[in-house]
Amino acid sequence: MTSKLAAVLPDLAPWHSSRDFRLLFVQGLVTYFGSFMAMVAMPLQIKDLTDSPLAVGAMGAVELVPLVVFGLYGGALADSADRRKVILLSEAGLGVLAVLLLVNSLLPEPLLWPLYVVAAGVSALAGLQRPALDSLMARIVPHDQLTAAAALNSLRWQTGAVVGPALAGLVVAYAGHPSAYAVTVVGFAASVIMCTRLAAAPPSPGAPKPSLRGIAEGARYAWSRPVLLGTYAIDMAAMFFAFPNALFPFLADDLDAEWALGLMYAAGSVGSVLVSLTSGWASRVKRHGQLVVYGAAGWGLAIAAAGWFSSVWAVLVCLVFAGAGDMLSGLGRSTIWNQTVPEELRGRLAGIEVLSYSVGPQLGQVRAGAMAGWSGTRPAIWSGGLACLASVGLLAAALPKLMTYDADTDADAQRRRAQKGEKNAEAVG
C-alpha cells in the first residue's frame, strides 16, 4: 500500500538534491500568493471604475507589447548575464509597482490610468524575469529530475493560485482594494530577501551580448524543431481561444453569484493541484507530446462546458477540470523544453517560451472582452472553448512529431542528457 501511494505522490527528489531549488520554491510560493491577490483586485477595480468588459479585457492589450519586447530581450539577457541578478532586480521592480497600486488605491478617488500603466510595467518586468527563472531550472536540477521539478513548481504556483484568488475575493469585498495590494507589497519584500540568498548563475563562457542577431538565432532553432514548435503553437491557441478570466466578474454577475468570483479564479488551480498531488506517475512518462495535446484538448472542452452551464456549481466543477487539463499540458511542455534545449540557447528559448504561454492569455483577454461585448458573456466563453478544441486537433495533425516524441529516443533529448552528464563529470573532477 505504501509503495502504491508513493507511486502517485509528487516526486520530491529535486527538493532534496538542490538548495537553490528549495529557495526558488519558497520564494515563488510567497510571490505567487501576493501576485494573485493583485490579479483579482486589479480587474475587479477596473470593473468597479468602468463597469465595462472591454475595459477589463483591455488589460491584455496593454500588457501585450511590453511582454513581447521584454520577453525576447529577457531571453537574450538570460544567456549573457548572471541570472540571479536578473531575477533579483526584476523582483524588486515588481515590488515597486505593487507599492504604486497601493498608493493609487488609497486616493480619495482612485485613478484608472495607473492600473494600465502598472499592468504594462508588470508585463515588462515579468518578460525580463521569466526567461532567467525558467532557464535556471535546468542548471540547478539533475536531468532525470526535470519532470518532477516541473510538477513541484506547478504545485507551488497552483497553491498560490488557489489560496490567493479565493482570499483576494474576500479581502476586496470586506476590506477593500488597499488591503489586497498591501499583501502584494509584503509578499514581494519577502521574495527579494530570499532572492539575495540564491547562488550566482553566471553565463556560459563566451556568451554573446544581447542582440537582435542572437534573438533571431534562438528563433531559428525553435522554428527548426517541430516538437518545440508544436508546444508553442498549441499553448498559444489554447490560451487565445479559451482564456476567459477577464470575464469572470461578469460571469459571476450573470449567474447571480458575486460571492463566487474568487472561487472562479481559484477553481482552475484546484484542478491543477489535484494533478500535481498525484503526479508521481509523470516521472515515468516518455511521450510528453501527448500530454501537451490531450491536456490542451481537455482544457478547451472544459471551458466550453463552463460557458454552457447556468449553475454556478457546475461552472466551478468545469473550471476544476479545465485546470487539470492545463496542468497535464504544462507538464509536457516544461519537460520537453528542459529536456531538449541546449544550454547555450536556453535563455533565448526561454524568452520564446514566455511568449508562448503569456501572449496567448493576453490576446485571449482581448478576444474574450471584445466578443462578450458583442455576443454576451457565456457565448464568448463556450465558443472559445470549442475553437480551442478544434485548433488543438488541427495543430496535432499538422505536427505529428509532437505526438510521437519519446524522451528515450529523441535526438535532441539525448544530446542534452549527454551535455549535462559531461558538465556534471567536469564538476566532480
Side-chain angles (χ1 to χ4, degrees):
M1 184 66 180
T2 302
S3 61
K4 290 182 179 180
L5 184 62
V8 298
L9 290 176
D11 185 351
L12 299 179
W15 176 273
H16 296 302
S17 65
S18 174
R19 170 187 173 274
D20 276 0
F21 179 85
R22 293 193 294 273
L23 272 174
L24 285 175
F25 186 94
V26 177
Q27 172 267 334
L29 187 62
V30 171
T31 298
Y32 290 151
F33 178 77
S35 296
F36 277 106
M37 293 287 287
M39 184 195 78
V40 173
M42 287 179 68
L44 194 56
Q45 189 173 18
I46 293 175
K47 175 183 177 292
D48 291 343
L49 292 172
T50 67
D51 196 31
S52 167
L54 185 58
V56 177
M59 283 184 63
V62 169
E63 293 166 342
L64 180 59
V65 172
L67 182 63
V68 171
V69 173
F70 288 92
L72 290 173
Y73 179 78
L77 185 66
D79 280 335
S80 62
D82 187 322
R83 291 169 186 170
R84 171 185 171 275
K85 290 182 179 179
V86 175
I87 294 168
L88 176 60
L89 292 175
S90 55
E91 196 76 358
L94 290 168
V96 171
L97 292 178
V99 171
L100 294 179
L101 285 175
L102 176 59
V103 171
N104 181 60
S105 70
L106 291 172
L107 295 175
E109 295 185 6
L111 302 172
L112 177 62
W113 65 263
L115 297 175
Y116 290 116
V117 171
V118 170
V122 168
S123 184
L125 288 172
L128 283 175
Q129 184 189 72
R130 289 302 307 182
L133 273 171
D134 292 348
S135 59
L136 185 61
M137 199 55 54
R139 180 179 291 192
I140 64 176
V141 174
H143 187 87
D144 60 351
Q145 296 177 14
L146 289 172
T147 302
L152 290 174
N153 281 335
S154 183
L155 179 60
R156 171 197 65 182
W157 188 88
Q158 299 298 346
T159 299
V162 170
V163 178
L167 287 182
L170 296 175
V171 170
V172 172
Y174 293 103
H177 298 96
S179 297
Y181 295 140
V183 173
T184 304
V185 171
V186 172
F188 277 113
S191 174
V192 167
I193 293 173
M194 283 182 275
C195 285
T196 61
R197 301 184 58 198
L198 290 170
S204 301
K209 294 182 178 180
S211 66
L212 291 176
R213 178 178 296 179
I215 293 172
E217 181 184 1
R220 283 194 298 270
Y221 179 88
W223 187 261
S224 69
R225 298 301 192 274
V227 174
L228 284 177
L229 196 61
T231 65
Y232 302 148
I234 284 180
D235 189 40
M236 289 188 69
M239 294 297 103
F240 174 73
F241 288 114
F243 190 77
N245 288 30
L247 300 182
F248 285 166
F250 303 92
L251 180 60
D253 286 347
D254 189 59
L255 299 175
D256 194 24
E258 291 82 358
W259 55 269
L261 177 59
L263 296 179
M264 288 181 183
Y265 281 110
S269 299
V270 171
S272 295
V273 167
L274 292 176
V275 172
S276 298
L277 289 174
T278 56
S279 62
W281 57 270
S283 296
R284 300 185 291 277
V285 171
K286 305 300 179 184
R287 296 292 186 92
H288 302 101
Q290 293 183 9
L291 283 183
V292 174
V293 173
Y294 295 142
W299 159 269
L301 184 61
I303 292 296
W308 184 261
F309 286 115
S310 58
S311 164
V312 66
W313 294 109
V315 169
L316 291 172
V317 170
C318 290
L319 293 176
V320 169
F321 277 101
D326 186 47
M327 175 62 192
L328 289 175
S329 186
L331 273 179
R333 291 194 308 272
S334 178
T335 302
I336 289 173
W337 294 339
N338 283 321
Q339 282 183 343
T340 62
V341 176
E343 175 64 28
E344 62 273 13
L345 291 173
R346 186 160 294 280
R348 280 163 283 179
L349 269 293
I352 297 174
E353 291 157 18
V354 167
L355 298 187
S356 76
Y357 61 67
S358 299
V359 170
Q362 309 310 327
L363 291 175
Q365 289 189 82
V366 177
R367 183 211 68 84
M371 188 164 183
W374 172 65
S375 66
T377 299
R378 289 170 59 197
I381 295 174
W382 66 254
S383 63
L386 293 180
C388 165
L389 191 61
S391 63
V392 169
L394 291 173
L395 287 168
L399 297 166
K401 287 190 176 180
L402 179 63
M403 290 293 287
T404 59
Y405 173 86
D406 189 313
D408 287 340
T409 60
D410 182 80
D412 289 327
Q414 290 179 326
R415 278 193 292 271
R416 174 62 186 149
R417 185 182 296 110
Q419 183 186 49
K420 193 159 188 178
E422 291 172 0
K423 288 192 174 184
N424 289 341
E426 291 174 1
V428 173

